[in-house]
Amino acid sequence: MLDIKYIRDHVDVIKQAAVDKRIVCDVDRLIEVDRRRREIQVELDGLRTSVKENGQLVGLLRNPKSPAYLKAVSEGKTPADLKAEAERIQAELAEVKPKVKALEDDEGPTLAEFSTLMLTVPQPAHADVPVGKDDTENVEIRRVGEPRTFDFTPKDHVELGQELGIVDIPRGVKLGGARNYVLKGDGALLHQAVLRLAQEMMVERGFTPMVVPVLVKEEVMYGTGYFPTGRDQAYLCERDDKSLVGTAEVPLTAFYSDEILSESDLPIKLCAMSTCFRREAGAAGKDTRGLYRIHLFEKVEQVVLCRNDVAESRRFHDEILANAEDVVQKLGLPYRVVNVCTGDLGMGQVQKFDIETWMPSREAYSETHSASRFHEFQARRLKMRYRDGAKKLHYCHTLNNTVIASPRILIPLLELYQNEDGSVTIPEALRPYMNGRDRIERVR
């Protein structure tokens, strides 16, 4: 959420941000509702003050022992005069109260509409973000590593998984419907290995490991910016007004919501391994084969809360991106980093960098990680602030990044490390988590 004062002063900037991010936002209506909201507030404040003061005055004028009554008598007014004045003021109050009621009746719907419209206002992208309509217009920054050239006909991860007995998609679909799967044996162990490697690397880098709820209140989803626009992507538990999260970013970022931190507490660096749920609404017919676009997965997420400083926020953005790159490099996977264009950014993101790992079966670099910074967008929604040395309050800046997400990362791992005999070499970094073994072979 943005500061309404900023929105008022930068209407054209907000309108352009909505166009660039392809987000529906009626800025003109918001400005009009905001004007009416402030107008009502000023009128109500004035009338309420008048009612309060005059109500007190009536009481004083009817009390022979009050200082106001005694002062008026000393100035020559009679009890009859004071009674008449009290009745006059009382009559005026009777005329004012219906006006207050009418304004209060108008205030409720106006505030509700204001709040709803504010939730549609996008965060303008940083000047470094390329303008584009979707992920096809993201801009490559760098490539690391070279895609493997095979001297035999390679198999995709689905064939490998089935033949090795480590991935069972048909039974996953039988249990949970489309876009579900089962990992078993070495498939489950490999999945857990990449998660453990990623989490241990983050702990070594000073991130506090957390175990957090993945079923959260809807206000947490609104606070982190996933609602209302992303509501159709979430699994809702309507009976309890809760939602399953699509990333541990949600509970991690909201952990200090409605709190005032000390500047000395910052930066706060958190990480969590969690189950994630996504409906993949609107993805019908897209990426239906294999483990790329699924409803359930595990992820290690990193979140940073820092001071309200643009330069500091950018430094942490580079840091969390480097953390994820280090994991991919440790796994020996070729990848590229892209600067995500405006049309592929979320509502609250100032800038996002994606890591796309080479996947032979897709014949393309495909997204495996996303690193985002939000400035104070999420913190404003979450009422998450800190007090500086001068006792002044500021909203925090928030950032997050995928450290690893599995089983999507198993696609390049299985496909790039496959051998001609159908076995898969286990990357050296994962062997300590696989009982020292260096290969996955078919269990006979």
Side-chain angles (χ1 to χ4, degrees), residues 93-142:
L93 286 175
E95 293 178 1
V96 169
K97 287 181 179 179
K99 296 178 182 178
V100 172
K101 177 65 166 57
L103 285 169
E104 289 175 339
D105 289 344
D106 192 13
E107 183 182 39
T110 300
L111 289 177
E113 184 177 4
F114 175 76
S115 297
T116 298
L117 289 169
M118 282 291 286
L119 291 175
T120 68
V121 178
Q123 166 78 58
H126 189 273
D128 291 345
V129 174
V131 175
K133 65 180 185 299
D134 55 33
D135 59 0
T136 63
E137 298 188 42
N138 293 342
V139 176
E140 182 176 307
I141 297 174
R142 59 180 171 274

Side-chain angles (χ1 to χ4, degrees), residues 1-2 123-127 253 304-314 317 348-351 372-380 384 395-399:
M1 182 177 293
L2 301 182
Q123 166 78 58
H126 189 273
T253 304
V304 174
L305 313 179
C306 70
R307 296 184 308 125
N308 194 312
D309 181 279
V310 172
E312 180 174 300
S313 186
R314 178 56 197 259
H317 201 169
Q349 294 163 334
V350 175
Q351 189 168 26
S372 305
R373 72 179 188 277
F374 294 80
H375 286 174
E376 60 185 48
F377 183 89
Q378 291 178 315
R380 275 188 174 276
M384 186 166 60
Y395 286 100
C396 301
H397 275 197
T398 64
L399 306 95

